[in-house]
Amino acid sequence: MKIAVLGTGGGARCHIAKLAGLGHEVHVGTRDPEATLARTEPDMMGTPPFKDFLAEHPGITLHTFGEAAAASDGLVINGIDGHNAVAALSAIAGRLAGKTLADYAVPYIYNPDIERPWPTPWGVNPILDPCDSDSLGEQIQRALPATKVVKAFVTQEQATVVDPKSIGGGDHTMFVAGEDSGAKQQVTDLLTSYGWSDVLDLGGIVAARGMEMYAHMHGAIGFALGFGTHFGIKVVR
Ligand SMILES: NC(=O)c1ccc[n+]([C@@H]2O[C@H](COP(=O)([O-])OP(=O)(O)OC[C@H]3O[C@@H](n4cnc5c(N)ncnc54)[C@H](OP(=O)(O)O)[C@@H]3O)[C@@H](O)[C@H]2O)c1
């Protein structure tokens, strides 16, 4: 398949490498390909410059977000920073029309100025906005009514999303939510090809609220286990 990955961050790179390894034609989207390729320093998360990643993964094409979306034959993965995703995706709405958009972004606001901050080993925990009475997944679906948005992958690090068997032999649970059952099946099929066997359909896109709010629990578990520890969650039933 021709699959677009919108984003050049650490999570997006996990999908790009995995999809290429599975034999898909991968089209990567960034704001400005020239500027992205000109970067020589790691980003704030310590992720190395994208050109280093491309050198290790020949055959992957870097485009603007819109060009990458247009090159996909049906499936697009959204890895644009959550705070900026609605604006960036709205700008290319026409190129996403009719396609499935698997969205794993978290609507984090970093360095929040709030009364009761949550100190963590890595600084003040980001806050979620929207939260509770709305979600980024719903905002994206409202902004792109002709696109089939599926919230997925968001409850884990993308390194283990693309390699579920690396923890617990793969005995953990992945979630999908969205309005279109065919699109959810498309994303579930992708997850199966990644190695997932337990994919739980949470229903409509409103369930993105719970999936995104789990980010705080994911963070708390990560702080407890220590940096670099990989883990998943299992819905026992
Ligand atoms: N990393 C993970 O394992 C993981 C797990 C669960 C959820 N998430 C969430 O998924 C999202 C993506 O994570 P990530 O680690 O792949 O990448 P990231 O570093 O959070 O985001 C990088 C991407 O966001 C784009 N971006 C940043 N500011 C922008 C702006 N003002 N306008 C348009 N685009 C902008 C960048 O564009 P350029 O390419 O032009 O620089 C880049 O492609 C985040 O919301 C993150 O919290 C990540």
Side-chain angles (χ1 to χ4, degrees):
M1 287 174 63
K2 294 178 183 173
I3 300 179
V5 179
L6 306 182
T8 58
R13 294 182 200 191
C14 296
H15 289 279
I16 296 163
K18 181 73 175 191
L19 292 166
L22 290 171
H24 296 290
E25 187 178 306
V26 188
H27 295 269
V28 179
T30 187
R31 280 170 287 188
D32 176 345
E34 269 186 42
T36 299
L37 292 173
R39 285 178 201 148
T40 55
E41 298 296 324
D43 68 14
M44 73 168 192
M45 310 298 287
T47 308
F50 194 72
K51 71 168 188 257
D52 295 1
F53 173 82
L54 270 190
E56 291 163 14
H57 298 85
I60 287 160
T61 333
L62 188 64
H63 313 267
T64 63
F65 289 136
E67 289 163 353
S72 136
D73 58 18
L75 181 60
V76 180
I77 294 176
N78 176 42
I80 299 173
D81 161 64
H83 187 52
N84 295 292
V86 172
L89 294 169
S90 298
I92 58 165
R95 287 166 142 179
L96 288 164
K99 297 187 178 175
T100 295
L101 182 70
D103 165 46
Y104 70 86
V106 176
Y108 270 152
I109 296 186
Y110 291 91
N111 308 314
D113 182 16
I114 53 174
E115 196 179 343
R116 291 176 293 282
W118 178 353
T120 78
W122 302 288
V124 171
N125 207 39
I127 60 165
L128 294 165
D129 182 11
C131 180
D132 205 21
S133 57
D134 198 4
S135 63
L136 178 62
E138 291 166 275
Q139 288 187 337
I140 294 173
Q141 184 61 86
R142 287 198 299 272
L144 306 174
T147 300
K148 296 162 273 185
V149 178
V150 179
K151 196 83 198 186
F153 318 153
V154 65
T155 46
Q156 285 195 204
E157 292 165 283
Q158 302 311 299
T160 60
V161 170
V162 303
D163 188 11
K165 292 188 173 139
S166 63
I167 39 173
D171 184 24
H172 45 124
T173 308
M174 175 52 56
F175 307 95
V176 293
E179 301 303 319
D180 188 286
S181 54
K184 284 191 281 195
Q185 188 59 52
Q186 201 177 358
V187 175
T188 301
D189 290 345
L190 179 73
L191 286 163
T192 304
S193 76
Y194 283 176
W196 285 90
S197 53
D198 185 19
V199 179
L200 182 57
D201 182 348
L202 297 176
I205 193 68
V206 69
R209 296 179 194 184
M211 297 163 82
E212 293 170 12
M213 288 165 69
Y214 172 78
H216 281 332
M217 186 62 183
H218 179 88
I221 297 170
F223 305 144
L225 295 178
F227 184 72
T229 309
H230 291 312
F231 60 94
I233 45 173
K234 172 79 180 165
V235 177
V236 181
R237 71 272 201 197

